[in-house]
Amino acid sequence: MAQISHINYCSYSSHRVSLVSPSPRPTAPFKAQPSTLLRLVRWSHSAPRCRYSLGDGMGTRSAAAGSSPRRSLVTSDHLRHVESMAQLPSGAGKISHLNAVILGESLASEENDLVFPSPEFSAQALVSSPNRCAGYQQMYRRSVEDPAGFWSEIASQFCWKEKWHPEVYAENIDVGKGTVRIEWFKGATTNICYNALDRNVEAGNGGKVAIYWEGNEPGQDGQLTYAELLDKVCQLSNYLKHVGVGKGDAVVIYLPMLMELPIAMLACARIGAVHRYSPQMSVVFAGFSAESLAQRILDCKPKVVITCNAVQRGPKTIHLKEIVDSALTECANDGISIGLCLTYENQSAMEREATKWQEGRDVWWQDVVPKFSTKCLVEWVDAEDPLFLLYTSGSTGKPKGVLHTTGGYMVYTATTFKYAFDYKPSDIYWCTADCGWITGHSYVTYGPLLNGATIVVFEGAPSYPDSGRCWDIVDKYKVSIFYTAPTLVRSLMRDGDEYVTRYSRKSLRVLGSVGEPINPSAWRWFFNVVGDSRCPISDTWWQTETGGFMIAPLPGAWPQKPGSATFPFFGVLPVIVDEKGNEIEGECSGYLCIKKSWPGAFRTLYGDHERFETTYFKPFPGYYFTGDGCSRDKDGYHWLTGRVDDVINVSGHRIGTAEVESALVSHPQCAEAAVVGVEHEVKGQGIYAFVTLVEGVPYSEELQKSLILTVRNQIGAFAAPDKIHWAPGLPKTRSGKIMRRILRKIASRQLDELGDTSTLADPSVVDQLISLSDC
Ligand code: 6R9
């Protein structure tokens, strides 16, 4: 039996995937079973200066003398091979110190750490295959060999006023061959709202529940059938038309998870204007601050802002209208006046009398919308007309307006939803995401409703009044598909099994995960405890930019490996490239790119096609660059390893380090700031900020709080730094570039791994920073 004398726990950091310490953390020394599956992180050797690092998301890397081993996933039985794999200098002796992460206890081996769907599940699944995934493989092959045939067949199941012509798709994603251009179903006319609502009503499903709404307080609920939802959407559409929303106009929606949020999205989608442009619609996550909202309003200059007076989240009341008021004042100061703020009165959170009001601009939803007709003809729009704009963080301070169009997005979200969740008409589906993020667009609203599904929309907080709330809701509505984020799984896991096992959960059939890599211990808890070891987990890898799932298991088809998003969805051609952009075959690690377009792809960054090309298509010409690292194992499974750019993923929310830095430096007492991501047990990554103060300003706890508050006010609470580290100076190269690599090591206390600091303009700042670590 292999004995590892020192096993240091190292939960995952920004660059490593699937590395999280299982809880409870065992105390060293840890005695591994021969079959314990480990991911090696780094180890040192009894020979001096011999230290190896692995798994920084970009493949194997040698941190010091010697060449590094080829694999980071081993069972402890394999450990004896490590030395030979590492090609240690002769006479170097034994491995003396090892950091590894246990991926699973006593697994038979890496090879058969496979979780198979039950035969009963597979027998009923849309794509199943007793025969080693033959069903999937057949469909996948067709989708990549004949994308036009594959997708046009699927698209024919939707309603189009006119069919696409002359071709199903046209693309150029190679910057070397000219402007990047992606078009699907061009020339066709359709309407996504019609397909999501009217089509279902016309098919005889008007009486089926479309939305179950659960409020913040248990017992607060509501529901709408497809026919009722259609009526409500039409009323709002008519109102919007009445106030002159038309071609090229934007509507900003700043609403919490009320039924009015999907209603507003669908109403905008319904009323493409005269020249076959749908109004650009932009939903802004209602956790963003007034300044962020103002920035987005200034960017797209909406005719109408839709909000509500307040929302109750857990025990807190959030006055959304006040946030909108200050955003609108800020916009007015910048010369952009918004003439109409349609405000929904959310009575359970706040009475209308208590709401601050600006006559002439503010209008109560309830006073105007119900007066309009419940019939509203749809505007047929071109498949390539814009559907919505969603802002996401990039590696610069300015958020990117990701633009999705209508036809391809419709076909893609509907199809991915159907297959990745193995959707059946009898399912009740609940996605915990907020509509303000892409997940809420594609998989709360469009994907499910296009399939005629019954969805649950939850306004409250998942741990209110206690950590059993999710399972209470699952039992109440008999939820069969539950889709959430690893951060929620981890926080519920920390609160203990009894909150889960108190509820039956027998309605559950399929589970889903999104937003960041799900670490194997959270995967196992989700699978074993929440899903009673019978519900496959669809770990869906995708992005705001991709519109829909890109790499995800089809629950009945593939045996799963905890922590792997498995295989590409139909029509998706993922490739892993090295630093020079060469495709790497077989078992490897590198940068994840996509070859060829897919229907749900974004078409541009709003108002900045050049940035679109520079960010996504220039780094590796000929490919779409995802910004993520990825490894592929010998069985072809994909393991996403997190962002390789300056983007931090906090609880599944993308935050650019530059955005946080620019918020910090706007504080009058902050001279400079550098932000890095650090591992965080629940959030996945936390925000760690190094701050240099203006000359002469003393450090204080008060100042720390005020810096954090500045970020909360400028971006939102979710972007607040977890730690402010005082930095009299920052480690910079002679050309003035901040060496974030060193800051990451200091932030994660990997002080023996600082690497070469000799190229710094002033190497002494490093010691200074280390000495201030605990201030
Ligand atoms: C849908 C969404 C996208 C980034 C993406 C990646 C990370 C999302 C993931 C995942 C591993 C998964 N990500 N899902 N990483 N496994 N299943 O989250 O969109 O907010 O744009 O974030 O999130 O790093 O690049 P978005």
Side-chain angles (χ1 to χ4, degrees):
M1 181 182 293
Q3 156 119 30
I4 306 162
S5 54
H6 297 85
I7 183 146
N8 289 349
Y9 268 81
C10 163
S11 37
Y12 67 93
S13 69
S14 52
H15 301 280
R16 300 195 192 99
V17 71
S18 316
L19 305 182
V20 79
S21 41
S23 82
R25 291 168 183 236
T27 45
F30 167 79
K31 206 171 188 185
Q33 300 300 315
S35 54
T36 302
L37 185 67
L38 302 169
R39 189 186 290 277
L40 301 184
V41 180
R42 56 183 173 274
W43 60 91
S44 43
H45 203 264
S46 51
R49 298 198 320 105
C50 226
R51 193 164 288 137
Y52 300 91
S53 287
L54 276 173
D56 64 348
M58 293 330 314
T60 307
R61 183 169 53 87
S62 158
S67 61
S68 46
R70 287 187 304 274
R71 55 193 298 185
S72 64
L73 261 185
V74 295
T75 63
S76 54
D77 216 16
H78 286 130
L79 276 181
R80 58 196 147 82
H81 298 307
V82 165
E83 285 159 85
S84 58
M85 287 192 295
Q87 295 159 18
L88 296 171
S90 58
K94 287 252 172 279
I95 287 173
S96 62
H97 183 97
L98 177 124
N99 281 27
V101 174
I102 301 174
L103 295 184
E105 309 289 348
S106 304
L107 301 170
S109 72
E110 183 191 341
E111 281 78 356
N112 52 20
D113 180 23
L114 290 174
V115 180
F116 286 86
S118 68
E120 304 80 62
F121 189 99
S122 277
Q124 305 282 322
L126 289 174
V127 181
S128 71
S129 61
N131 184 14
R132 296 294 283 167
C133 316
Y136 163 84
Q137 268 156 358
Q138 209 178 3
M139 280 178 82
Y140 180 73
R141 201 170 317 118
R142 162 120 206 268
S143 74
V144 293
E145 283 170 5
D146 174 22
F150 180 88
W151 286 113
S152 58
E153 232 166 69
I154 290 183
S156 308
Q157 298 157 17
F158 293 83
C159 173
W160 305 83
K161 189 79 178 156
E162 285 160 50
K163 276 283 163 80
W164 43 91
H165 53 86
E167 16 187 33
V168 180
Y169 74 101
E171 68 176 28
N172 170 42
I173 62 165
D174 186 347
V175 276
K177 294 189 182 144
T179 307
V180 174
R181 178 176 70 109
I182 299 168
E183 287 166 352
W184 281 82
F185 311 115
K186 195 164 167 61
T189 47
T190 188
N191 184 291
I192 195 169
C193 175
Y194 184 88
N195 276 282
L197 302 183
D198 309 56
R199 191 171 56 114
N200 288 316
V201 173
E202 283 161 20
N205 291 323
K208 183 176 178 180
V209 174
I211 304 180
Y212 281 122
W213 174 77
E214 172 82 2
N216 183 59
E217 299 297 330
Q220 254 176 1
D221 51 27
Q223 68 180 62
L224 287 177
T225 62
Y226 269 88
E228 289 163 343
L229 177 59
L230 176 58
D231 286 354
K232 297 232 176 238
V233 166
C234 286
Q235 286 182 317
L236 182 60
S237 298
N238 282 325
Y239 171 75
L240 290 174
K241 286 212 293 201
H242 171 77
V243 296
V245 174
K247 177 189 173 190
D249 291 334
V251 173
V252 160
I253 303 172
Y254 188 71
L255 278 172
M257 292 295 280
L258 299 169
M259 288 199 267
E260 283 63 28
L261 178 46
I263 290 174
M265 293 163 75
L266 290 161
C268 288
R270 192 172 187 83
I271 55 166
V274 230
H275 291 96
R276 310 209 314 201
Y277 276 91
S278 72
Q280 289 146 5
M281 171 190 31
S282 177
V283 180
V284 178
F285 171 53
F288 276 113
S289 67
E291 274 193 40
S292 290
L293 177 61
Q295 195 179 15
R296 285 154 172 80
I297 292 175
L298 287 173
D299 197 36
C300 72
K301 303 180 187 61
K303 202 155 212 172
V304 183
V305 173
I306 305 181
T307 189
C308 73
N309 51 351
V311 62
Q312 196 77 25
R313 255 188 89 78
K316 270 198 288 195
T317 307
I318 303 160
H319 296 103
L320 289 187
K321 172 74 167 44
E322 286 178 19
I323 299 174
V324 173
D325 286 346
S326 24
L328 293 183
T329 309
E330 219 175 295
C331 293
N333 294 341
D334 278 353
I336 301 289
S337 289
I338 306 301
L340 178 58
C341 178
L342 182 67
T343 310
Y344 184 79
E345 182 189 358
N346 191 13
Q347 277 176 353
S348 58
M350 190 182 192
E351 295 296 325
R352 78 163 57 185
E353 290 68 38
T355 310
K356 287 205 192 103
W357 208 244
Q358 186 174 318
E359 284 305 333
R361 184 197 69 188
D362 301 343
V363 175
W364 288 111
W365 174 311
Q366 283 92 333
D367 288 355
V368 290
V369 177
K371 295 192 180 134
F372 284 81
S373 159
T374 55
K375 300 277 169 280
C376 174
L377 289 179
V378 293
E379 293 290 343
W380 300 103
V381 300
D382 192 283
E384 278 302 332
D385 279 346
L387 174 64
F388 65 85
L389 188 60
L390 189 59
Y391 290 87
T392 189
S393 292
S395 19
T396 71
K398 192 170 181 268
K400 302 178 284 197
V402 168
L403 184 82
H404 281 284
T405 56
T406 308
Y409 176 84
M410 170 174 87
V411 172
Y412 198 68
T413 51
T415 312
T416 45
F417 172 81
K418 173 173 161 186
Y419 286 105
F421 294 130
D422 188 50
Y423 171 72
K424 307 277 162 50
S426 54
D427 278 315
I428 309 286
Y429 167 80
W430 179 23
C431 167
T432 62
D434 190 288
C435 283
W437 304 104
I438 189 68
T439 307
H441 281 65
S442 302
Y443 300 109
V444 171
T445 312
Y446 294 113
L449 295 179
L450 285 162
N451 279 281
T454 298
I455 66 171
V456 174
V457 169
F458 175 41
E459 182 198 16
S463 51
Y464 178 82
D466 69 29
S467 302
R469 184 69 187 276
C470 287
W471 324 120
D472 181 34
I473 295 174
V474 164
D475 281 0
K476 176 170 174 183
Y477 298 104
K478 309 262 173 304
V479 171
S480 55
I481 306 174
F482 177 70
Y483 186 37
T484 194
T487 180
L488 181 63
V489 175
R490 283 193 296 267
S491 85
L492 296 177
M493 176 174 154
R494 200 179 50 171
D495 296 340
D497 296 4
E498 46 304 346
Y499 285 110
V500 187
T501 51
R502 190 189 288 173
Y503 297 94
S504 132
R505 292 158 288 113
K506 69 173 192 302
S507 55
L508 287 175
R509 209 169 65 76
V510 178
L511 302 173
S513 169
V514 60
E516 56 175 310
I518 179 162
N519 46 294
S521 60
W523 194 101
R524 288 185 174 282
W525 184 83
F526 200 25
F527 183 78
N528 290 325
V529 180
V530 174
D532 282 333
S533 310
R534 56 179 174 78
C535 309
I537 298 178
S538 207
D539 176 0
T540 58
W541 174 83
W542 60 296
Q543 308 176 298
T544 304
E545 293 86 343
T546 69
F549 305 151
M550 298 294 279
I551 301 183
L554 303 191
W558 286 107
Q560 297 184 277
K561 294 193 185 188
S564 164
T566 73
F567 296 93
F569 190 73
F570 304 134
V572 175
L573 272 169
V575 291
I576 297 178
V577 302
D578 65 15
E579 259 145 57
K580 296 200 181 81
N582 300 315
E583 278 183 39
I584 339 176
E585 303 289 332
E587 200 179 343
C588 61
S589 295
Y591 299 95
L592 180 64
C593 289
I594 313 288
K595 218 162 140 163
K596 292 192 72 67
S597 75
W598 62 98
F602 66 143
R603 305 302 201 244
T604 189
L605 290 179
Y606 181 62
D608 202 347
H609 200 71
E610 200 178 321
R611 187 175 180 199
F612 169 74
E613 293 188 343
T614 313
T615 314
Y616 301 102
F617 298 93
K618 281 195 181 149
F620 300 106
Y623 303 102
Y624 163 72
F625 173 45
T626 64
D628 276 339
C630 180
S631 34
R632 190 168 45 213
D633 69 17
K634 61 178 183 357
D635 301 323
Y637 282 69
H638 292 81
W639 300 78
L640 276 303
T641 56
R643 303 291 305 187
V644 294
D645 51 13
D646 288 326
V647 172
I648 309 180
N649 191 329
V650 180
S651 301
H653 299 154
R654 276 164 65 171
I655 300 166
T657 52
E659 272 176 81
V660 183
E661 285 162 8
S662 79
L664 286 168
V665 296
S666 74
H667 189 286
Q669 290 170 319
C670 173
E672 200 169 12
V675 166
V676 295
V678 280
E679 65 205 42
H680 189 287
E681 217 180 326
V682 172
K683 297 197 270 188
Q685 283 194 289
I687 298 182
Y688 195 111
F690 292 87
V691 171
T692 307
L693 296 177
V694 168
E695 197 63 40
V697 174
Y699 310 134
S700 71
E701 225 169 273
E702 282 311 296
L703 185 50
Q704 236 166 27
K705 282 190 198 138
S706 121
L707 284 162
I708 292 173
L709 194 66
T710 305
V711 182
R712 290 175 75 101
N713 289 341
Q714 290 205 10
I715 307 177
F718 65 96
D722 297 273
K723 164 91 185 164
I724 302 274
H725 186 134
W726 300 125
L730 290 167
K732 292 185 184 163
T733 59
R734 287 188 194 99
S735 60
K737 223 171 160 238
I738 296 173
M739 281 180 91
R740 286 165 195 280
R741 171 177 65 78
I742 294 177
L743 293 177
R744 279 190 206 107
K745 296 289 177 199
I746 296 176
S748 59
R749 301 285 183 275
Q750 293 173 317
L751 301 180
D752 54 349
E753 299 218 342
L754 292 174
D756 184 10
T757 56
S758 62
T759 55
L760 290 177
D762 176 9
S764 73
V765 295
V766 175
D767 292 333
Q768 212 176 23
L769 281 179
I770 293 171
S771 68
L772 283 168
S773 283
D774 297 315
C775 294

